[in-house]
Amino acid sequence: MSVYMLRPRFGSAPSPSRARHGTEMPPVDLDAADQAQAAAANELETKGAGRVEETAQAAGRLHPLAAKYFDADARLYAMVARMFVVGKPHAGGKWNEEWADTLAKGVGGIIIAKENYGFSPRKLWNLTSALKNHANRSLAIFADQEGGWRGKYRHGQAFREGFTPLPKMGTVGNKLKNDSFLQHQVAKEVSATKFRELRAVNIDLNFDPVMDVNSNPSNPVIGDRAISGNVSRVASLGAAMISAGQAQSVGAVAKHFPGHGDTTTDSHLELPQVHKSLDALWKVELKPFAAAVRANVSGIMTAHILYPKVDPGKPATMSSVFIHDILRTQLGYDGIVFSDSLDMKAVMNNQWSVGDVIVQAVNAGVDMLVTSNKRTDNFEDRAIVALMDAVKARSVPQERIMEANRRIDRLFAGYVRPATERFEFHPDLNKKWFVPPPTE
């Protein structure tokens, strides 16, 4: 199969937005909106953004998705496709036609699931090397590597066999509570080990740490994935983990903004609702994310949760109140905003179509759209087409696509690397994290 390079190039990232606070967006100046749209279109044309190059000329064809827009909209398609991060749990752990097909769509990132890694760091390295080398463009490889054995909450250390065993984050946050210095040292060592081993197998970004506060014992999906039920401890240890992890040249993505710790339902299965006021959220849920922003976290992932007292109509992933007003303006965050997986039932239900979710999420401020792709209905294809068509119909301004791509440029420059030339991996398979310090 032919694989094509779709590599948008843009200028420097804009400074953080400073729109006024509040739950209502500023009124739209139609003339200004038209001018911004025209400027974005001009930048597409004059700067050569999204230049499409054939990298396997003998095969001689574009992926059908790209071909649909090739004549008139190839540049725009390149930027839109780049905003997607997709998983392929059923593609296996070796380079094959399905992986080639995915790369040919021009997606910006690939999530490596536990089903892909072959229970071997070397096999994982082989796969990620093949993906990066066949992409012929800057391709981000993601992991969802938390800590602890995957049990009740279905999350944890996705890559375990052959890796240093990692404790659950709740264990890190609740051990050594009487020695804050030692607790922080252990937290930083856990994170540094986790992220260093990910870099060794060509992983560029990790959807970690969980910055939710474990405040509800009835929560079916967070629990000891969270660092603690203590707000200050989550904020402090989480920020330390971010800094230690990113020092290994792997970007950290804090999740699940604005907080998933006080839900009683699982957003994988249905849309949770949290009936807290914004003032209450500032006291608990939002504090760890403020700490993550101060720690210069490379990305923040949204939660598919409805907070009726803050934005009664939209889950956080689709809410400009949460992403624009709170995260961007009040917290001053100008990094990448990732959606949680868009094939989760919290948003993929009878209330919204794929197009509804995509358009509202991007307009609210989501820069990269994630799908774990456990569905069998061509979800990622439909999602890419939905966003492309929305931009052409001006339901999503071109400037919003440009803004997202400028942030992606900055993220990729900081953390996305070519595949390493040789496999070097040094785990501590017998690591004990909570050994009492030696006595004098």
Side-chain angles (χ1 to χ4, degrees):
M1 168 166 289
S2 175
V3 180
Y4 288 79
M5 181 168 79
L6 298 94
R7 184 184 298 167
R9 294 184 174 90
F10 299 99
S12 59
S15 59
S17 168
R18 294 297 173 194
R20 64 181 176 86
H21 301 330
T23 58
E24 295 183 2
M25 295 292 290
V28 176
D29 182 333
L30 293 180
D31 290 337
D34 287 342
Q35 291 171 10
Q37 190 87 333
N42 183 63
E43 186 174 347
L44 275 172
E45 189 64 34
T46 59
K47 293 190 176 182
R51 184 169 55 93
V52 180
E53 297 180 2
E54 185 175 0
T55 62
Q57 296 186 12
R61 75 174 181 85
L62 283 167
H63 187 279
L65 274 181
K68 177 180 178 181
Y69 302 104
F70 184 77
D71 290 338
D73 300 299
R75 296 181 179 90
L76 179 59
Y77 175 86
M79 289 191 298
V80 165
R82 192 185 188 215
M83 293 171 64
F84 284 83
V85 179
V86 303
K88 288 286 180 180
H90 306 300
K94 295 181 180 180
W95 174 255
N96 56 37
E97 189 74 6
E98 186 171 355
W99 286 118
D101 183 76
T102 301
L103 291 185
K105 296 171 188 176
V107 297
I110 298 288
I111 309 167
I112 303 297
K114 64 182 178 66
E115 293 88 350
N116 301 129
Y117 101 97
F119 304 102
S120 161
R122 178 176 285 277
K123 290 179 180 179
L124 177 54
W125 179 83
N126 288 340
L127 174 60
T128 57
S129 296
L131 288 167
K132 284 181 173 287
N133 292 333
H134 282 86
N136 290 299
R137 64 178 185 272
S138 185
L139 177 73
I141 306 291
F142 291 77
D144 196 5
Q145 181 87 320
E146 296 177 11
W149 189 246
R150 301 167 76 95
K152 176 181 177 183
Y153 300 104
R154 303 198 310 275
H155 290 267
Q157 187 171 351
F159 312 141
R160 188 170 179 89
E161 288 81 3
F163 286 75
T164 299
L166 300 171
K168 294 177 180 179
M169 294 303 97
T171 303
V172 174
N174 287 293
K175 290 275 190 179
L176 308 172
K177 288 188 291 186
N178 295 326
D179 189 335
S180 178
F181 176 80
L182 183 58
Q183 186 181 50
H184 279 73
Q185 291 301 108
V186 170
K188 289 187 285 187
E189 186 183 357
V190 168
S191 187
T193 299
K194 179 193 307 182
F195 280 61
R196 182 171 57 250
E197 292 184 357
L198 291 176
R199 172 48 64 199
V201 292
N202 297 318
I203 303 293
D204 302 302
L205 294 116
N206 190 26
F207 292 127
D208 180 77
V210 173
M211 297 296 278
D212 305 314
V213 179
N214 187 20
S215 58
N216 190 332
S218 298
N219 193 311
V221 70
I222 299 300
D224 55 15
R225 294 172 61 198
I227 296 167
S228 175
N230 180 285
V231 179
S232 297
R233 198 174 300 143
V234 174
S236 179
L237 292 175
M241 290 178 178
I242 289 166
S243 297
Q246 293 188 161
Q248 310 307 312
S249 299
V250 174
V253 179
K255 59 187 183 185
H256 308 80
F257 178 84
H260 207 317
D262 198 19
T263 62
T264 56
T265 53
D266 182 351
S267 54
H268 294 86
L269 306 176
E270 58 184 298
L271 178 62
Q273 295 192 29
V274 176
H275 295 274
K276 283 188 171 182
S277 67
L278 182 55
D279 286 343
L281 291 176
W282 276 113
K283 292 175 182 177
V284 179
E285 280 81 0
L286 292 172
K287 283 188 175 181
F289 290 99
V293 172
R294 291 193 296 269
N296 199 30
V297 69
S298 68
I300 291 178
M301 175 180 280
T302 61
H304 302 325
I305 301 175
L306 186 67
Y307 300 82
K309 293 184 178 180
V310 182
D311 188 340
K314 298 178 181 178
T317 297
M318 300 155 62
S319 170
S320 61
V321 175
F322 278 108
I323 299 175
H324 177 274
D325 295 358
I326 297 173
L327 182 57
R328 295 288 189 207
T329 303
Q330 297 184 40
L331 290 180
Y333 178 67
D334 193 36
I336 289 278
V337 173
F338 294 88
S339 73
D340 205 344
S341 183
L342 293 174
D343 50 7
M344 292 164 62
K345 292 181 180 179
V347 290
M348 281 300 109
N349 52 41
N350 294 328
Q351 186 171 355
W352 300 289
S353 68
V354 174
D356 292 335
V357 174
I358 296 292
V359 168
Q360 293 185 50
V362 172
N363 281 338
V366 171
D367 302 300
M368 296 197 84
L369 301 147
V370 178
T371 170
S372 61
N373 213 8
K374 295 182 179 179
R375 301 161 63 109
T376 58
D377 56 356
N378 296 317
F379 181 83
E380 74 192 42
D381 295 21
R382 293 190 295 123
I384 293 172
V385 169
L387 181 53
M388 186 71 190
D389 289 347
V391 178
K392 292 180 68 179
R394 300 183 66 172
S395 300
V396 174
Q398 283 190 359
E399 176 53 33
R400 177 76 269 278
I401 305 301
M402 301 291 293
E403 178 185 53
N405 273 263
R406 286 191 288 264
R407 291 194 180 108
I408 295 170
D409 280 340
R410 188 172 59 198
L411 178 74
F412 279 29
Y415 293 105
V416 178
R417 303 282 187 269
T420 54
E421 294 185 0
R422 59 182 181 272
F423 178 69
E424 293 185 8
F425 195 79
H426 307 288
D428 183 350
L429 300 180
N430 298 308
K431 177 68 176 178
K432 306 296 182 185
W433 291 102
F434 302 103
V435 177
T439 56
E440 293 283 338

